[in-house]
Amino acid sequence: MRTLRFIFFVSIIIGAIAFAQEPNVVWQKTYGGNMGDKGYSIQATQDGGFIIAGSTYSFGAGNTDIYLIKTDAFGNVEWQRTFGSANYDEAWSVIQTSDLGYVVTGSYDEDGAGDIYLIKIAQNGNPQWVKEINLGFQEWGQSVIETADGGFAIVGGQVGPDPGQVLLVKADNLGNVTWTKTYGLTNQIDCGFCIQQVYENYEYKFVIAGSVYNPNTTSRDVWLLKTDEYGNLLWEKRFGYNDWDDGKYVTKTNDQGYILCGTVRYAGAIFLWLIKTDVQGNLVWEKKLRPTTTSAARGYIVKQRGDGGYIAVGEAMLTTNWDVYIVKVNSRGNIEWQKTIDYGNNYDDHGYSLDIIANNEYIIAGATFLNPYGPPYYDLYLVKLGPMLNDTDDPLSLAYNGNRHLVREPNTEHLHLVYTRMDSVIYQYSSDGGINWTLPLAIGEGKFPAIALSSSNLPSVTWTDDAGGLWYRRKINETQWSDIYHLYDPWAYWLPRLNSPPSIAITPYAPGDSDSVHIITTLRTPVNGPFNTVRVYSFRISQPMAYSISEIEGGAGPTDPIRYNPSIARSSFNNSLHAVWQRADTICYATRQVGQQWQNWGWRFGTEGLQSAHPFVECYGDMVYVVWEHKGAPWLMEDVYKGWTRSDIQPPNFYWDNLSRTPDLPSRMPVNASGTFTVYAEMPSPPLDTWYEVYYKVHPDDERYNISQTLEERSYYPHSVARFTSSRTYLYTAWLEGSGIPYEIRFKKLQYIPTELPAYLTSVNGNEIPSPYLVQRDSFISTWQIPVDIGYQTITYRFPLEPGYRYKIKVIAYHESSGQWREWVKIDNKLRHLIKYNAYKPETLEFWIPPAFYKDGKIDVVFERISGDFATAGSIYIYQYEYEEEATELASGPMAQESHTLNNIGLAIFPNPFRDKLNIRYTISDAGQGFSLAIKIYDVSGRLIKQFNNPSEKIIWDGRDEYGRKVTPGVYFLKVDNPDTKQTFTHKLIKLE
């Protein structure tokens, strides 16, 4: 066995921060016929589905009828009902009642006058009773609630004898009216749109939101009213700007006040309007909201989130069309995220109602305009949003880890994802790092898909089926998919069939040629002995059926071990291919160098590669990384191991280590992202039967970071990719969530601030076997504390660098003679940096490489002696970064011509957010006498809460201030001052309740 601790050069590591996640559009559905249908009210139901009420012109007996739809969690219709007369009837509000039935209110216009319609529906959709409430005038119901006494309260409007008044109707549990109240002055036009019952000071009260006519300014204001439980007015408040303003919804807030949503006309513009009041209706704050690119927005509903913020829905005018508008604000009304949603028809889409399903999961009902070239009409429109990408019925939709489901285009945040749902292979694409995703596209039928990108960054997908066949399809341009190719068909029972998911890699084209696709499979059949093999199908990307087959390993007979769970990856460093698989419970490894055949190296991971499963291989720079599950003993749980070696060394010489280090907890299905993040599913502590969370680690000694954070749900089958820029590091992860149908495909983007990656290219110098990058040296010294190559005048190395990236180089100079030595480090003989280094003290020099130097795909690095016995070169590290807009100044800025050592501070903080305890760990490199360190924690006002002076390397903050008092939940800031570099690092902390 060979083990070696992970060694990375780390400057500042300050944990991982989850971005405030804007939800994805999970799915969109429309309902109705070809005449005109709308949804005005929606509520999530106890069974996980939805109840929607609105109007239908398509299915009604007259002009419009009440339209009621019950769906399952996927938006599939379970039943639908219509109610109405020969005239205009509409439903404005629906709720689920305590007996799990439903009650609907709206307007009924049988005789042309208009009555309140109140309908009680059983859980199966059958009507239990129908009430037409006629008070002798024209009335309608806008909002209905179930009251504490088991009856109902309806608010709406009444016309006559006045032009319009707010009408409040109280009914018993059978819909019989017990009392009514009206509000408003003579000759005003008033209406109530929303009612809520609240419990305050041991009494029930009603709060009503609506609109009131202002006769002094001939305008309309938002109107907030509070009554006692019998409808007697306690107080009323008006809000407006001398224009035509509406108040559509009100709800009580956690601080005992109220939040209203409506529309305000102000300074010639139209806004979605949020009004926050105290318990007496006095204004606390108000916000006028609309996307910056829109000319108008209207608001219909607002609800409070569990984090104290608010979510509001309405519509926004984009150029000439309305789109659904949803906006999330914090407890002070400041926008956290906002988005508009277009059904895809480039015409009007309206959002009238909202319900919160769960944390950051929402359902919106409204209407979408259709058929602009014929008789125009609307369809009832339903949109589900959430952190998941989509719902699925398949518990293996993202299985397993060896067949990649998530890939990213280099130098972008463009993501491609495949999974399965309802026996279909589903593809989705995001152009913005997972904030928004395209709607699911079925590209084939089968299971266990895997994805890879061509040199043109177009996806190729392979999968298998229940018969054990092999399938392939690719995208041939931005809008078009190819035909589906059936690469292997086990048409007879004696033929071998795929017994594991396939895995795919693509090598880029050679001059005058096209990309090559390589799909690794394992096949098996029990006929005439259990034949089984590891096989790779290879073909030009444009000619899938002209494939060749390479057999990496095979056998037959009753004692031959079964092969399964293959994984394949391409090295961008030298285009070599690398494969891993299981031979029974042993992890095996094979390579194929360019122009050569596959070389099977077999078992390469010592005893830690035995009793193992689910290997995953990845290449990053000149390194190969393999992760897998290993059981140290039959009575222990699986641990995740990580192995690494150079991609150009044959035979491979792997090192490995236990990454998860949790032998009492099962650690499953690991994947690696860019050589840095290892992501896996693991049970929390103490373990539960089905509860898994998705975690990541960078180093074995790190505390695991919980990516999924779904609490008592099963989070499984993670797939991750990473992105490194000069200022930020990102981790993108998709996983399967849930323990039963519907399962959810969830996604999260994390920022790791800041970290230095493992080197993309590494030249380990000072050994008898020279570095593969060495061009010329005179000798080497392997016996010094840091081995070095030496040159009596110069030492030369050549590194292949791919254009289109940013590169930083780090070199180490060292000697064990006497005095100070000096040397130049030259790049392509065009740029030079001075390095000075004293005996027994290594000196590190870092600088950016100008992109113009590697346009030809390579650079020369020369160490040239100035003074000293000779030039020396310790290890050389080259780091690859992708471009991003924020890095422009850094990328083009000047580079220092000299370097000096700094006392670097390594800092890790976890977990964040935290509840009771925050772990703070730091290290200092080369800290001499007089070096002092202070770690300080401040609240949002800048007040110092806690300070640690020259603390031990491991600190646990228990959430108490300097006086031993527990701090309140909220946002805090940790500040670290480095007195040597004069740098200050500040990190946001979040304390939960």
Side-chain angles (χ1 to χ4, degrees), residues 196-210:
Q196 302 286 354
Q197 189 174 48
V198 297
Y199 187 68
E200 295 172 352
N201 298 324
Y202 306 102
E203 294 178 345
Y204 287 102
K205 300 181 175 76
F206 294 112
V207 178
I208 299 168

Side-chain angles (χ1 to χ4, degrees), residues 742-814:
Y743 301 93
E744 300 170 1
I745 307 296
R746 292 204 172 183
F747 178 86
K748 186 175 285 187
K749 173 184 175 182
L750 296 175
Q751 184 174 336
Y752 193 70
I753 308 177
T755 186
E756 190 169 307
L757 8 169
Y760 185 73
L761 303 176
T762 302
S763 179
V764 179
N765 303 326
N767 298 305
E768 182 177 356
I769 299 176
S771 161
Y773 306 110
L774 179 69
V775 175
Q776 174 271 326
R777 72 180 180 186
D778 292 315
S779 186
F780 66 94
I781 300 175
S782 61
T783 56
W784 282 357
Q785 184 177 348
I786 296 179
V788 297
D789 287 344
I790 63 173
Y792 301 124
Q793 189 59 41
T794 61
I795 319 165
T796 303
Y797 304 87
R798 179 166 294 165
F799 294 93
L801 300 185
E802 184 178 354
Y805 293 88
R806 288 286 293 145
Y807 293 94
K808 183 174 69 175
I809 187 169
K810 177 190 291 185
V811 301
I812 297 174
Y814 180 77

Side-chain angles (χ1 to χ4, degrees), residues 348-413:
D348 288 345
D349 304 297
H350 306 276
Y352 297 129
S353 185
L354 160 86
D355 202 7
I356 299 176
I357 304 169
N359 182 33
N360 211 27
E361 295 183 44
Y362 313 100
I363 189 75
I364 300 172
T368 182
F369 184 78
L370 299 172
N371 198 31
Y373 304 111
Y377 64 90
Y378 280 90
D379 261 4
L380 191 154
Y381 181 35
L382 209 59
V383 184
K384 183 178 179 184
L385 298 99
M388 74 294 289
L389 302 174
N390 215 319
D391 296 346
T392 178
D393 63 339
D394 185 3
L396 299 177
S397 59
L398 283 176
Y400 288 86
N401 60 319
N403 54 328
R404 290 171 181 80
H405 290 68
L406 179 69
V407 292
R408 182 184 65 85
E409 298 178 24
N411 271 305
T412 72
E413 286 200 306

